[in-house]
Amino acid sequence: MSPTSPVADLHIQIDKLSEKIEIQKQVLRHLEEQRSQARIQLNSFTDPMARLPLEIQSHIFLCVEPKARHHSTQVDLGDFPLAFLNVCHFWRVIALSTPRLWTTISMMTVPRTANHTKVCKAWLGRARTLPLSISLDSEGCFGLDSGVQDLITQYGQQLRKLTLQLPVGSLFNGLDSALPFRLEGPFLALRDLTIRSNRFNKLDSVNRCKLMELLRVCPAVSHCCMSNLVCEEEAGHLDLSPLTLPSLETLHLGNPFSFAFDRMGGNSAFILPYLCAPALKDLSLTALNIPDQALVSFFARSASPLESFTLSLEYVWTESFVDQCLRLIPTLTALKLFAVSDSELDDRFLPFFEVLSASHNHLPLLRQLTLRTDCSSFINYERLLHMLTTRRTSLESFELKLLWSDDDYHEYDLPLDFEAKPDADVLAALRQLVKGGMSIHVGSTTRNLL
């Protein structure tokens, strides 16, 4: 038998050493596991939280949620509640045993990182069967990433709230794009739908057909908000057949405050001629860019128990139009009107004063009337006082506020110059109404002239 070469001997020695190293690694892993278990046992004796029932531990974690949500907008490995997973084994167990921690998520429509969709899928899976709240931020994209789109479809039956944050370039735009926006429904559990854009740009548009398609696959929606959307009618066939949303209670089309003071509001009111909302209680409209009779027909068709109506007055309504609308919403208890001054200084509030003064058959249940404007010099205080006097036995609150807004639509007071103030006799009459029990505020947010 020939002797082995030195090279072969070294190979044998290396293999034996490798085996011993692997054995020692297994011993090390076993010791580390034992140490981890010992630490867990130690924590159970020394950590007061560890001695609490899981229900209370979960509740403590949930109490952290509101503040954390305020500062967290996108899914990141360091975001709440992902941060709980990296503290210790004990906290990780609590977090993974608390499905309510994972029911709300804000994610990009096009992932920034390769594992974004994987993280989002794991996040949603931890919510188990609980209702979900999902926010999609498009960040300038024109389509929906296939991975994110599949997630929305997969968890569609759990989706309770959906928020679409559109960029300057519309997420609904581009029928000819490689990946047009489409969410496969139906979303039978969806109750809250919000679609808004960060910045208003008349060159961008929202596809009307796709917007209506989204509403059709959300038959149980009860709250719908569309803020600052420009809806353009594209070429080709549009499925704008009548749509009934029997559970819809809140409908906000545009941003009345942003339109009244910044001329930004969109034209999402286009859906009203096709919509029937028999349960509607709260309606807010900006830029009524539909025929007057279309709004009248909507009120008549819906016959809803409307309680609150907010409106930006882009032009002066005729008394006849105001009369027709108010007769059809007799259950209204709160009316809020926005108006801005223009070169003609038309009093856009006056037709409402006249109709409300004429008869208590118009809005017999009206309790709150709010007017907001950037200039009060055009207001006919004599007719306003007459209306308030006529309504003194039923109207509980009246506000006339001078306001303006910044780019984020935060309200600020305007200085009250002498010309903007009502005459002394009007102020005296208003004070008499206050003595009679009516709450009246005339002035800025911080200053009441009364």
Side-chain angles (χ1 to χ4, degrees):
M1 183 175 181
S2 60
T4 58
S5 66
V7 173
D9 291 340
L10 288 174
H11 277 296
I12 293 173
Q13 183 181 0
I14 290 174
D15 290 340
K16 289 181 179 180
L17 290 173
S18 298
E19 291 178 2
K20 292 180 179 180
I21 290 174
E22 186 60 35
I23 292 174
Q24 295 304 316
K25 284 183 177 179
Q26 293 178 5
V27 172
L28 179 60
R29 285 194 292 268
H30 180 65
L31 291 173
E32 288 177 340
E33 291 176 0
Q34 288 182 326
R35 182 181 63 179
S36 177
Q37 291 297 323
R39 284 177 173 173
I40 292 174
Q41 293 176 7
L42 177 62
N43 288 337
S44 67
F45 289 106
T46 60
D47 186 355
M49 187 171 178
R51 296 194 294 270
L52 297 174
L54 179 60
E55 293 79 6
I56 297 180
Q57 296 168 352
S58 297
H59 180 72
I60 293 174
F61 275 32
L62 290 169
C63 289
V64 181
E65 180 180 7
K67 184 177 294 186
R69 292 279 188 222
H70 179 71
H71 298 287
S72 176
T73 57
Q74 299 299 336
V75 172
D76 184 86
L77 291 178
D79 278 351
F80 173 89
L82 292 175
F84 286 144
L85 304 182
N86 302 317
V87 175
C88 66
H89 173 81
F90 179 59
W91 280 35
R92 181 181 181 87
V93 170
I94 298 175
L96 295 179
S97 302
T98 310
R100 282 180 56 195
L101 282 174
W102 310 94
T103 56
T104 300
I105 185 173
S106 178
M107 54 188 176
M108 308 300 298
T109 53
V110 172
R112 289 176 174 173
T113 60
N115 68 338
H116 178 90
T117 303
K118 182 179 179 181
V119 172
C120 293
K121 183 175 182 179
W123 182 308
L124 295 173
R126 293 170 186 143
R128 301 178 188 174
T129 60
L130 293 181
L132 298 174
S133 175
I134 297 179
S135 176
L136 297 178
D137 193 331
S138 54
E139 283 287 306
C141 70
F142 287 83
L144 194 62
D145 175 80
S146 58
V148 175
Q149 184 167 322
D150 291 342
L151 278 180
I152 301 298
T153 301
Q154 179 182 349
Y155 289 94
Q157 297 307 311
Q158 293 176 238
L159 191 57
R160 183 64 60 90
K161 180 178 181 180
L162 177 62
T163 300
L164 304 177
Q165 181 74 46
L166 307 188
V168 173
S170 171
L171 186 64
F172 286 92
N173 202 9
L175 282 174
D176 297 327
S177 62
L179 187 61
F181 181 89
R182 182 180 295 274
L183 291 175
E184 298 294 338
F187 303 114
L188 302 179
L190 188 69
R191 299 294 183 269
D192 192 324
L193 174 64
T194 298
I195 307 172
R196 58 173 178 256
S197 60
N198 288 319
R199 297 294 178 186
F200 187 84
N201 190 328
K202 292 183 178 179
L203 298 179
D204 300 320
S205 62
V206 174
N207 185 298
R208 291 192 181 197
C209 186
K210 293 185 178 182
L211 196 59
M212 292 297 292
E213 285 178 2
L214 184 56
L215 289 176
R216 293 183 194 282
V217 297
C218 305
V221 65
S222 61
H223 176 93
C224 180
C225 176
M226 302 181 187
S227 182
N228 296 343
L229 303 184
V230 178
C231 307
E232 297 297 337
E233 184 173 344
E234 64 285 341
H237 174 69
L238 291 178
D239 180 14
L240 296 181
S241 55
L243 171 64
T244 297
L245 295 176
S247 302
L248 185 63
E249 296 184 356
T250 302
L251 179 61
H252 292 176
L253 300 178
N255 186 325
F257 191 87
S258 65
F259 177 79
F261 299 107
D262 297 322
R263 292 298 184 182
M264 299 191 299
N267 62 346
S268 48
F270 87 91
I271 70 172
L272 293 182
Y274 313 98
L275 183 64
C276 178
L280 192 64
K281 295 181 179 180
D282 181 4
L283 176 63
S284 179
L285 293 181
T286 298
L288 190 65
N289 43 35
I290 57 176
D292 293 352
Q293 286 305 310
L295 179 60
V296 174
S297 297
F298 168 74
F299 284 142
R301 180 171 58 252
S302 297
S304 58
L306 197 65
E307 297 175 359
S308 176
F309 185 24
T310 301
L311 178 68
S312 284
L313 295 169
E314 185 179 6
Y315 55 89
V316 180
W317 287 20
T318 65
E319 287 188 31
S320 174
F321 181 32
V322 174
D323 178 85
Q324 291 182 71
C325 289
L326 298 191
R327 285 182 182 274
L328 293 170
I329 49 176
T331 55
L332 201 70
T333 60
L335 176 63
K336 183 181 294 186
L337 303 175
F338 289 76
V340 293
S341 59
D342 55 25
S343 58
E344 299 178 357
L345 293 180
D346 292 323
D347 186 351
R348 297 174 186 174
F349 300 139
L350 183 58
F352 289 85
F353 296 163
E354 299 296 350
V355 172
L356 290 174
S357 300
S359 171
H360 278 279
N361 291 330
H362 297 84
L363 307 188
L365 302 180
L366 186 66
R367 299 295 180 264
Q368 300 175 7
L369 176 61
T370 301
L371 310 179
R372 296 197 176 191
T373 180
D374 63 344
C375 178
S376 66
S377 59
F378 64 82
I379 294 177
N380 189 322
Y381 284 104
E382 180 180 354
R383 301 310 300 166
L384 169 61
L385 181 60
H386 177 66
M387 183 272 295
L388 294 176
T389 303
T390 302
R391 295 260 169 177
R392 65 185 181 277
T393 59
S394 58
L395 194 64
E396 298 175 354
S397 173
F398 171 73
E399 290 186 354
L400 170 60
K401 291 187 177 180
L402 290 173
L403 300 169
W404 64 287
S405 71
D406 61 13
D407 290 340
D408 295 321
Y409 314 137
H410 296 140
E411 299 180 2
Y412 293 93
D413 292 340
L414 283 176
L416 295 174
D417 55 26
F418 180 79
E419 295 180 356
K421 297 179 181 178
D423 294 337
D425 56 343
V426 174
L427 289 175
L430 291 173
R431 292 189 180 100
Q432 288 299 317
L433 291 173
V434 172
K435 290 181 180 180
M438 186 183 299
S439 174
I440 300 179
H441 184 111
V442 177
S444 65
T445 301
T446 57
R447 181 185 176 191
N448 189 350
L449 293 176
L450 302 182

